Amino acid sequence: MLIARVHSLAAPAVIERRYDQINDFEKQLVKDGTTVVKFCLDISLVEQRKRLADRLKAPDKQWKFNPHDIEERAYWDDYMSAYGLAITRCSTRWAPWYVIPANDKVYRNWAVTMILAETLQEMSPQYPHPKLDIPRLLSRLKA
């Protein structure tokens, strides 16, 4: 949706319809018992440049580099606007967006971890309790 908006690959009415479709899909997921947690890891233009340069300099990170990313940086403001609109349109009470400042990776990791830990506490996941005849099954294992 971001690229479609930034590069006018879809009409505004189509993009608006897609937001509604995303919201409807996520609502159905939640209705069916899925917990949806969405993060937008927000980095600055300066930090993005640094990370792209680091990828080029480190042989073990070059696989992450896409030369097209350099060209897309020219559309930074358009992407930020598209992100803001998508997050606004698709952050719902059943599937909210969490926008995390991500220039500092330590803070980013802490913030995501805290949100996931809180979400898991709210979910209170439990081990399943299958109906097993434990004495009989243990007896069979001895044979």
Side-chain angles (χ1 to χ4, degrees):
M1 301 231 329
L2 301 173
I3 293 171
R5 179 172 289 283
V6 169
H7 293 290
S8 302
L9 301 175
V14 171
I15 293 172
E16 280 301 314
R17 199 166 49 248
R18 289 179 183 167
Y19 294 140
D20 292 335
Q21 291 169 340
I22 290 167
N23 291 337
D24 291 344
F25 174 70
E26 291 174 346
K27 191 173 204 173
Q28 186 62 49
L29 287 174
V30 171
K31 182 180 172 193
D32 292 342
T34 300
T35 299
V36 178
V37 183
K38 302 180 294 191
F39 296 101
C40 175
L41 304 178
D42 186 35
I43 65 169
S44 69
L45 182 63
V46 171
E47 182 65 16
Q48 185 198 50
R49 179 179 46 239
K50 177 187 172 302
R51 290 184 189 183
L52 290 172
D54 289 347
R55 285 180 186 175
L56 283 173
K57 295 173 189 173
D60 62 328
K61 292 186 179 183
Q62 290 172 354
W63 66 272
K64 295 181 181 185
F65 189 84
N66 181 341
H68 188 64
D69 289 342
I70 294 172
E71 295 150 20
E72 288 302 295
R73 285 174 51 79
Y75 300 95
W76 183 267
D77 291 340
D78 296 329
Y79 274 108
M80 293 303 101
S81 177
Y83 272 113
L85 188 55
I87 289 167
T88 298
R89 287 285 283 114
C90 295
S91 188
T92 60
R93 64 180 159 70
W94 58 85
W97 272 100
Y98 296 92
V99 179
I100 308 294
N103 282 356
D104 180 332
K105 291 180 181 183
V106 172
Y107 175 79
R108 174 204 66 196
N109 293 348
W110 173 83
V112 169
T113 299
M114 296 308 295
I115 292 166
L116 290 176
E118 182 178 306
T119 301
L120 282 169
Q121 283 181 323
E122 290 171 4
M123 291 172 62
S124 186
Q126 305 294 315
Y127 285 108
H129 299 288
K131 295 184 181 188
L132 300 172
D133 182 347
I134 303 297
R136 184 179 69 78
L137 292 170
L138 286 172
S139 173
R140 287 181 57 201
L141 281 172
K142 291 179 183 174

